[in-house]
Amino acid sequence: MYKIKQLPEDFVVKEIPLADRKPEGKYLYFLMKKKGRNTLDVIQELARRLHLREKDIGFAGSKDRHAVTEQMISIIGAKKENIENLKVRDVSLEFQGLGKVPVSLGDLQENEFEIVVRNLEGQKISRVDFLENYFGEQRFSLHNAGIGKHIIKKEFRQAVGLIDDAKINGFLKEHLGDFVGALKRLPIRMLRMYINAYQSYIWNETAARYLDKKGKSMKKVPYSGGEWVFVSNSRDFKDLKIPIVGFGYECADEEIRSITEEIMKEERLSPSDFIIKQIPELTLEGELRKAVVPVQNLKIGRRAKDELNPGMMKVKISFALPKGSYATIAIEKIISHVVSRNYFPSVNKFVSFY
């Protein structure tokens, strides 16, 4: 089985921002470079140390912990010199200019990746031009989708039971049974992440079932929520969009709508469940996501000896993907391998929290 992210330097991500930097504006733009740290964790630390609210620091996308990453952030309410003087572990901040608007989720053109794939033996490495746009494993973690489902189903006690957080635990000691109040101790960004994870599971399942019916099956790869179905004719679906379900999602394609409704029935969900009156900020509408995306500037290096895995080979692969698409999914398609059904033996399918 191939390996990625054995070293943070094995997985390099560079965000290509949309932020239009100007000589004036109240928002300070910084290029944030980090290694081995999660975006949200760093944002929380910056807010705490600069005495700001987390929402005063904007970013376009959450970048993985097990990587070296570059991304643009915006900060309001702090002095430039105070930010530049901060010493943050495994993080650097380079001032880029000013702007009149904050950096918000989705404010990027694309992400560029440079990935070292290790532990190669006889696997075939293929060129791909279009990629099934699945959400990757890092979207889900161990419990993210399960927590999201419990919140959507208004099963707040069960949701809290899956979250190990000091703020929540401390709140419940003083407010027994107030599980909604406990959830509100967490940043809204984090709570939305849970909802998004469950929406992503439903999207993945819809896409996989549709492509399994309509595509020319190339391989199926198991992950903690089911299977990713890869097809050899992914280009044929470049204009197809699949809904991310919410309280007001729409789908023009009758067959996709039928598959989504089937999954919703299996999950015992209705669109109205996505209206969360207890925490209105978590009420999310549906939207459309491309079924496949182009893989740009794909470069595959020569195989070399893998110093971390004696007797094996490694290869460096670089490419660019549109915002919101996962490099780990691209690697799954580029590298041919056989995966055991026990690949995730310690992870229960996260949709079975009843």
Side-chain angles (χ1 to χ4, degrees), residues 300-311:
I300 300 173
R302 292 184 178 182
R303 296 191 190 214
K305 290 184 179 180
D306 184 354
E307 68 280 3
L308 295 185
N309 303 284

Side-chain angles (χ1 to χ4, degrees), residues 287-303:
E287 57 182 285
L288 293 173
R289 176 178 173 89
K290 289 185 176 181
V292 302
V293 293
V295 179
Q296 305 280 8
N297 304 322
L298 176 63
K299 296 177 183 177
I300 300 173
R302 292 184 178 182
R303 296 191 190 214

Side-chain angles (χ1 to χ4, degrees), residues 90-345:
D90 295 324
V91 175
S92 69
L93 296 168
E94 298 176 9
F95 181 67
Q96 301 292 297
L98 303 171
K100 296 182 178 180
V101 295
V103 176
S104 302
L105 288 175
D107 286 349
L108 68 153
Q109 299 177 45
E110 62 183 14
N111 288 298
E112 294 179 347
F113 300 91
E114 190 176 277
I115 299 170
V116 177
V117 184
R118 298 182 181 274
N119 205 50
L120 292 173
E121 196 168 16
Q123 293 96 332
K124 179 183 177 182
I125 301 176
S126 305
R127 298 193 66 84
V128 300
D129 55 358
F130 278 88
L131 172 70
E132 294 77 1
N133 201 19
Y134 295 117
F135 292 93
E137 190 70 60
Q138 61 266 47
R139 180 78 161 188
F140 306 109
S141 189
L142 180 60
H143 292 308
N144 285 0
I147 294 167
K149 181 174 183 176
H150 284 313
I151 293 173
I152 291 166
K153 296 291 291 180
K154 319 303 183 293
E155 297 166 349
F156 302 115
R157 178 181 63 81
Q158 293 93 325
V160 167
L162 292 174
I163 303 173
D164 184 15
D165 182 88
K167 291 180 181 178
I168 281 182
N169 296 336
F171 179 86
L172 285 175
K173 286 182 180 178
E174 297 183 6
H175 305 82
L176 293 177
D178 185 0
F179 300 108
V180 172
L183 287 172
K184 288 181 178 180
R185 299 303 98 188
L186 297 179
I188 286 297
R189 283 172 175 165
M190 184 174 291
L191 294 177
R192 283 179 181 156
M193 176 187 70
Y194 296 135
I195 304 292
N196 292 155
Y198 186 56
Q199 291 175 307
S200 300
Y201 158 71
I202 296 174
W203 192 96
N204 275 6
E205 189 66 14
T206 302
R209 293 187 192 185
Y210 182 86
L211 292 173
D212 200 28
K213 279 186 177 183
K214 295 293 189 179
K216 297 176 182 178
S217 185
M218 179 177 144
K219 63 178 179 179
K220 298 179 181 180
V221 178
Y223 78 106
S224 63
E227 286 183 328
W228 296 307
V229 175
F230 295 97
V231 297
S232 59
N233 61 328
S234 50
R235 177 185 288 272
D236 294 346
F237 304 99
K238 63 184 178 65
D239 296 322
L240 179 67
K241 293 184 178 181
I242 295 174
I244 296 175
V245 295
F247 75 84
Y249 78 93
E250 296 181 359
C251 181
D253 187 291
E254 184 175 336
E255 192 154 7
I256 290 178
R257 184 168 61 251
S258 176
I259 292 172
T260 303
E261 289 174 353
E262 177 184 28
I263 294 169
M264 295 280 279
K265 185 176 180 180
E266 292 170 4
E267 297 294 305
R268 292 186 276 176
L269 284 176
S270 70
S272 63
D273 288 329
F274 288 85
I275 299 174
I276 304 172
K277 295 180 180 178
Q278 295 87 342
I279 313 177
E281 300 93 331
L282 299 185
T283 296
L284 301 178
E285 293 185 83
E287 57 182 285
L288 293 173
R289 176 178 173 89
K290 289 185 176 181
V292 302
V293 293
V295 179
Q296 305 280 8
N297 304 322
L298 176 63
K299 296 177 183 177
I300 300 173
R302 292 184 178 182
R303 296 191 190 214
K305 290 184 179 180
D306 184 354
E307 68 280 3
L308 295 185
N309 303 284
M312 297 295 183
M313 306 295 284
K314 67 178 181 180
V315 67
K316 181 179 290 185
I317 301 175
S318 62
F319 50 86
L321 293 175
K323 62 182 181 182
S325 298
Y326 285 74
T328 50
I329 300 296
I331 295 297
E332 286 285 2
K333 187 165 187 178
I334 290 169
I335 307 290
S336 295
H337 58 91
V338 178
V339 182
S340 164
R341 283 287 175 177
N342 295 319
Y343 183 57
F344 296 101

Side-chain angles (χ1 to χ4, degrees), residues 44-79:
Q44 289 172 356
E45 180 176 347
L46 290 176
R48 184 177 68 254
R49 294 182 59 183
L50 291 169
H51 306 290
L52 300 174
R53 301 168 299 178
E54 285 184 32
K55 65 181 182 179
D56 293 330
I57 305 176
F59 59 95
S62 184
K63 298 293 182 285
D64 198 3
R65 178 189 306 276
H66 305 290
V68 174
T69 70
E70 294 183 9
Q71 65 187 120
M72 191 73 72
I73 66 171
S74 63
I75 300 178
I76 188 172
K79 294 181 178 180

